[in-house]
Amino acid sequence: MSESQTIQIIPMKSEHVSQVAQLHIQNIKEGFISSLGHKFVCCLYQAIVESYRAFGFVAVRDGKVLGFITCAENTDAVSKLVLRRNLFKLLWAYLPKMLRLKNIKNSLESLLCPAHRGNDLPSADLLAIVVAQEARGLGLGKRLVEASCSEFRKRGVETFKTMVDELFSANDFYKHIGFKHVGKYRHHGDMHNTYVLEIKKQESADLLITET
Ligand SMILES: CC(C)(COP(=O)(O)OP(=O)(O)OC[C@H]1O[C@@H](n2cnc3c(N)ncnc32)[C@H](O)[C@@H]1OP(=O)(O)O)[C@@H](O)C(=O)NCCC(=O)NCCS
């Protein structure tokens, strides 16, 4: 049995949230969300687990989360849920940070922007994907995207988008597994790329378009 076969891809549940938040903070260090700390990021991922408009998968071996992916059918609806459920908790815990004008602007942009990136883009999003450094190159990232493609199709979604800082090496990962580059935009002062993936129609295990 190969190393990657000992790692299961399963739906993300509350019990995974703390490890997922840690992976996010360790591996997307430059992101504004990471700067708000473990407690805040846990609230965000807990809301994703609880929202019927969002879902996630984790790559797990012996209870250890080695990677995760989160997606939303409609990010605007999920953002509103996060705000509704956590507003007081978030304000209480993060008031000092939130009170800085730049952070208020960044918070709102982070929570609400994906849905406002253009009417011609799909409303479904791949929100975040991370594979722990020690587990990269084993095909887990691709398996996580494939699991999400299957789930999107079950929900009647055929196309989804993702946005990534143009400096991240993940740009090459997305292009390699079949995402199409559809545009650029500025977010928190940095340039980001927007990609779209059309999910293959056939009910095959390999849902991605593999040629670049
Ligand atoms: C991007 C990331 C999720 C890829 O995870 P991974 O498990 O190493 O990727 P896989 O092993 O599934 O790779 C699948 C294919 O993409 C290719 N690939 C992976 N990363 C690549 C990269 N940075 N550049 C080019 N190709 C890449 C692999 O070679 C593989 O190709 P193959 O199918 O022809 O063998 C991982 O590098 C990561 O967590 N990065 C940091 C977090 C991040 O930036 N996330 C995106 C923003 S939310």
Side-chain angles (χ1 to χ4, degrees):
M1 197 186 276
S2 73
E3 192 182 351
S4 72
Q5 285 170 325
T6 64
I7 303 168
Q8 281 185 299
I9 307 292
I10 57 172
M12 184 171 135
K13 299 196 178 116
S14 298
E15 72 212 48
H16 304 126
V17 161
S18 177
Q19 288 189 69
V20 163
Q22 203 160 339
L23 272 180
H24 181 126
I25 292 165
Q26 283 168 349
N27 292 279
I28 315 183
K29 295 189 190 86
E30 303 82 356
F32 167 72
I33 287 175
S34 293
S35 76
L36 291 173
H38 187 256
K39 222 158 124 185
F40 176 91
V41 185
C42 281
C43 289
L44 213 62
Y45 283 110
Q46 186 58 38
I48 286 172
V49 166
E50 288 171 15
S51 169
Y52 72 95
R53 306 299 299 274
F55 61 87
F57 288 93
V58 285
V60 188
R61 183 170 52 202
D62 300 330
K64 184 170 182 203
V65 176
L66 295 169
F68 74 87
I69 188 167
T70 47
C71 301
E73 282 173 49
N74 182 318
T75 306
D76 209 6
V78 178
S79 299
K80 283 179 187 148
L81 180 88
V82 173
L83 284 175
R84 224 177 26 246
R85 294 226 177 132
N86 298 291
L87 189 59
F88 291 110
K89 206 186 323 179
L90 292 176
L91 282 178
W92 179 250
Y94 297 101
L95 201 58
K97 281 181 175 166
M98 299 288 235
L99 279 178
R100 283 163 53 195
L101 197 62
K102 186 168 168 254
N103 281 350
I104 293 175
K105 188 172 160 278
N106 285 350
S107 303
L108 291 173
E109 264 186 47
S110 294
L111 286 167
L112 303 173
C113 271
H116 300 154
R117 291 284 173 229
N119 294 334
D120 48 343
L121 290 173
S123 56
D125 281 291
L126 186 172
L127 298 171
I129 179 167
V130 170
V131 171
Q133 198 81 49
E134 72 268 23
R136 289 191 192 159
L138 298 175
L140 293 182
K142 192 173 170 187
R143 284 172 66 193
L144 287 163
V145 174
E146 284 171 350
S148 302
C149 288
S150 294
E151 182 60 29
F152 268 138
R153 281 202 72 82
K154 276 188 209 156
R155 293 167 181 244
V157 173
E158 292 176 0
T159 319
F160 61 96
K161 65 182 181 300
T162 194
M163 283 105 169
V164 63
D165 189 312
E166 68 173 0
L167 299 178
F168 285 16
S169 74
N171 284 280
D172 294 326
F173 165 74
Y174 288 130
K175 285 186 256 178
H176 189 76
I177 65 169
F179 282 76
K180 286 201 167 53
H181 183 253
V182 294
K184 275 183 185 288
Y185 69 98
R186 190 171 288 281
H187 186 52
H188 299 172
D190 299 320
M191 287 313 289
H192 285 61
N193 287 314
T194 305
Y195 296 93
V196 165
L197 184 71
E198 211 166 304
I199 304 166
K200 275 186 181 173
K201 291 218 166 25
Q202 69 262 34
E203 291 291 322
S204 118
D206 189 5
L207 286 152
L208 301 175
I209 305 158
T210 42
E211 63 269 18
T212 49

